[in-house]
Amino acid sequence: MEWYPWLNGPYRQLIEGYQEGRAHHAVLLHALPGMGRESLVYALSRRVLCQKPEGMKSCGECHSCKLMMAGTHPDWYALSPEKGKQTLGVDAIRSVLENLYQRSRQGGAKLVWIENSEQLTEAAANALLKTLEEPPEATYFLLGCHEPTRLLATLRSRCLHLYLPTPDEAQSVVWLNKRHPASEQALQTALRLQAGAPLAAEHLLQDDTARQRTALCQALANAVPARAFYSLLPQLNHDDAPERIHWLSSLLLDALKIQRGAASARVNLDQDALIALLANQLSAAEIDAVLARWLRCRHQLLTVTGVNRELLLADVLLEWEQRFQTASLNVLPSFSV
């Protein structure tokens, strides 16, 4: 599994705890998507389960290390929802917990990795909580999460909370440019659209995704002068609609920043002409209202099971057209980036 330089600090911090015998039995790993959290968990698990560790690293030669590399270590438990399900139920948790109270198969530690702990049902979270309160000897838990507030407060309180900070933007630009050469504007834009998470930014720079974003930007540039926002439907109605709405929302927010004298804080550094067009054609009140509507739409797409995506998107776009046509036609001051 690939390693990333921004993980060095958190890895060292955690391993020192294990080396000095003060490691917390449960760590809540809070990170944005695209931070490489899985690589940190794998390296940490190998080191904790290694039979002959070499300093901060696993030896890579012992039987335990070979089992980890093969993905068959009997004392390493990775939990995630069954295929087609969005939640992790109590039966899966209880099955693993029963094994934890038995003797270690390899005579060392036991480690449980729950990739997205927000997916735990309430019953599953309560079952896990009981074990976290009185964990078996030499047993460790790693719980991944993107939104800690979605977890039970009592569950959070039993864990050491470790946030994986995003690297400095300048360092990430250098790292990204080595892997995916592009203009500095494109690299900075990708990072800012992904809140600084380098791997997520790299995904945004890939040819297919970059073309999709460019096509959406062009469609928006054509729609604004014609007041034909419904024409954006083909660009938005895809399986990754929440991400595309995020791109659209960030452009609207950038236009609002221009209007309010905060151009230096804009995200889409590679779309200055489009942002200026939005700022000059749309009032601040309209942008505020439309932006709020898009954010609600995105939340519905992410949380409502079985929602009709096309109808929802069409409704928002038609509402935007109507709002634009009935808005005051007062001349706006001219804005530029």
Side-chain angles (χ1 to χ4, degrees):
M1 188 172 289
E2 189 171 2
W3 185 252
Y4 307 105
W6 57 86
L7 299 177
N8 290 335
Y11 177 80
R12 188 177 299 109
Q13 176 184 346
L14 289 169
I15 290 300
E16 285 176 352
Y18 290 105
Q19 287 179 317
E20 297 170 8
R22 54 177 177 79
H24 200 286
H25 68 278
V27 177
L28 184 64
L29 288 174
H30 175 198
L32 293 170
M35 281 294 294
R37 183 185 61 190
E38 295 77 10
S39 295
L40 176 62
V41 168
Y42 178 73
L44 180 64
S45 300
R46 276 189 54 172
R47 171 58 179 76
V48 171
L49 297 174
C50 180
Q51 297 166 338
K52 299 178 181 179
E54 300 174 351
M56 289 199 166
K57 297 182 179 181
S58 55
C59 70
E61 298 295 334
C62 70
H63 186 55
S64 182
C65 283
K66 291 179 180 178
L67 288 171
M68 281 297 294
M69 287 186 279
T72 57
H73 199 296
D75 295 319
W76 191 73
Y77 303 91
L79 288 171
S80 60
E82 295 178 7
K83 186 176 181 180
K85 293 187 177 181
Q86 299 297 317
T87 58
L88 184 57
V90 66
D91 290 340
I93 292 295
R94 285 174 176 166
S95 177
V96 168
L97 295 182
E98 289 175 3
N99 291 328
L100 297 182
Y101 286 96
Q102 299 175 14
R103 184 175 179 179
S104 166
R105 304 285 182 85
Q106 293 297 308
K110 290 163 285 187
L111 198 148
V112 179
W113 163 232
I114 302 177
E115 184 174 3
N116 292 307
S117 53
E118 296 100 326
Q119 294 176 323
L120 289 166
T121 63
E122 184 175 354
N126 283 319
L128 178 61
L129 177 61
K130 294 177 181 179
T131 301
L132 293 183
E133 290 173 341
E134 297 183 14
E137 185 179 358
T139 300
Y140 301 99
F141 296 84
L142 298 174
L143 282 68
C145 74
H146 300 309
E147 300 177 51
T149 54
R150 290 177 56 190
L151 300 179
L152 290 176
T154 47
L155 189 62
R156 296 200 307 270
S157 69
R158 298 297 187 274
C159 301
L160 171 68
H161 188 169
L162 178 66
Y163 175 69
L164 300 185
T166 56
D168 176 76
E169 184 179 279
Q171 295 174 340
S172 293
V173 165
V174 173
W175 182 84
L176 275 174
N177 196 45
K178 290 179 179 177
R179 294 166 63 100
H180 198 107
S183 69
E184 185 172 1
Q185 281 187 332
L187 296 173
Q188 289 177 317
T189 296
L191 283 164
R192 294 182 184 188
L193 279 170
Q194 302 296 352
L199 298 180
E202 184 179 28
H203 170 72
L204 190 55
L205 290 166
Q206 292 174 357
D207 291 343
D208 286 346
T209 309
R211 279 196 295 269
Q212 292 160 7
R213 176 174 170 268
T214 299
L216 176 61
C217 291
Q218 185 59 57
L220 181 60
N222 295 335
V224 172
R227 297 167 170 76
F229 298 110
Y230 187 77
S231 64
L232 296 175
L233 184 60
Q235 298 299 331
L236 293 171
N237 188 25
H238 292 266
D239 289 341
D240 61 347
E243 183 176 10
R244 298 185 185 212
I245 292 173
H246 169 61
W247 300 341
L248 174 59
S249 300
S250 72
L251 290 163
L252 292 168
L253 189 56
D254 277 349
L256 204 57
K257 292 172 185 175
I258 297 298
Q259 292 180 350
R260 295 177 177 174
S264 61
R266 67 192 189 283
V267 169
N268 298 275
L269 301 179
D270 60 347
Q271 294 293 332
D272 282 349
L274 175 56
I275 295 169
L277 175 66
L278 291 167
N280 287 314
Q281 292 283 326
L282 309 178
S283 69
E286 183 184 1
I287 294 176
D288 276 334
V290 171
L291 184 58
R293 186 68 180 90
W294 277 120
L295 293 178
R296 289 198 301 273
C297 174
R298 184 174 185 272
H299 179 72
Q300 288 176 284
L301 289 173
L302 291 171
T303 60
V304 179
T305 303
V307 65
N308 188 315
R309 183 182 66 214
E310 183 173 3
L311 286 178
L312 180 60
L313 292 170
D315 183 57
V316 179
L317 290 168
L318 289 172
E319 181 182 322
W320 192 2
E321 281 194 5
Q322 183 179 17
R323 182 182 297 276
F324 195 101
Q325 291 166 1
T326 58
S328 171
L329 296 179
N330 293 335
V331 177
L332 294 172
S334 179
F335 297 99
S336 60
V337 178

